[in-house]
Amino acid sequence: MKSLTSRMQAVQSPIIPVVGELIKNSPGTISLGQGVVSYNPPHEAIEFLAKFLAEPDNNLYKSVEGIPPLLTALTGKLQAFNGIEINGENCIVVTAGSNMGFMNAILAITNPGDEIILNTPYYFNHEMAIAMAGCRAVLVATDENYQLRKEAIAQAITPKTRAVVTISPNNPTGVVYSEAALRQVNQICATHSIYHISDEAYEYFTYNGVKHVSPGSFSNSSEYTISLYSFSKAYGFASWRIGYMVIPKHLLVAVKKVQDTILICPPVISQYAALGALQAKEDYLKSHIGALAQPVVGIAQVRQLVLDSLNRLQGLCTIIPANGAFYFFLKVHTQMDAFELVKQLIQEHKVAVIPGTTFGIDDGCYLRVAYGALQKETAKEGIERLVQGLETIVRS
């Protein structure tokens, strides 16, 4: 059969499987690549699977937007943690992960040829979704500390702009945007009658006393703010594929059309597990993430270990302070191509990271370092390999 062309030719290939193949061909490699956590879901999530199995009709299709008990539990969580009230102007839709929530939103608010503003470095699946929808990603560079530039965002808006996307805590940089910065973006969107899509998948991962802020909590923002959330990170739910979105009520019909076509309904067994996860005590998040725990434990402890080692690269790399998620985004002072550097690190030093080109940065050599999936001992070995590898390759 002859080769056919389609819109997918304009979409970049996902980098994780590419790097995964390199890792497979280099046994013993420690991955600082994929953004997952090392721990398992809380036992409450597993216990709730019995409730799913106890109801024979749970094997049938359920509501497109999610089962009522989970919607009720999420309403309480959003009010308590995010300061978002579910009212007549907004509503919750449960999705198969927050990536699906983003795709739902893009298809619901755009026509082919419309524009979506992404701040660079961007999350690659966002850019891919925009391309799949036949729309154009308009890229706005963040500042030297990877913080938002509100004037540049405002200047990038055209009659075709449908939304501005923010991610805080950020993937891939790990930075957290201030309440003031998010309010400014939110106001820009209100003024121009466009949407503010706020990706908050890493909402629980903040350090050094930094607080997470949800733009959906700002007064009078329900009409134009789309908030995306995930169970994948905080609750170790990566393969369970459960997220949710808070959308303006006027988008519900459009979003349900998209979701019913692609998914019909979110996996009901995973929704029960998510309902159980929401019953977990606060100690579960504190012990695994450790952001608010004393002494520092969990991912926060691994983060400090990684940061201490990376600081040895001062002069060889620029390391921007990052108080969120579980990433650092390094600028390596070299003329090397980022992907070529990644290949050498895997093949010669058995440590994997992700090239910055994947995140829309091609004016230098950048690497995303992910530490969420590592235990303390593995993190120490992995980051040592990275430091030694960069010193050897870049200085040779």
Side-chain angles (χ1 to χ4, degrees), residues 225-247:
T225 304
I226 298 170
S227 306
L228 307 178
Y229 302 96
S230 174
F231 278 79
S232 296
K233 312 303 180 185
Y235 290 103
F237 259 56
S239 71
W240 293 80
R241 306 315 305 138
I242 286 291
Y244 54 103
M245 56 196 307
V246 179
I247 60 173

Side-chain angles (χ1 to χ4, degrees), residues 17-40:
V18 174
V19 173
E21 190 66 23
L22 291 171
I23 293 172
K24 187 171 74 172
N25 293 330
S26 186
T29 296
I30 295 176
S31 178
L32 303 173
Q34 194 163 23
V36 294
V37 296
S38 63
Y39 53 87
N40 293 321

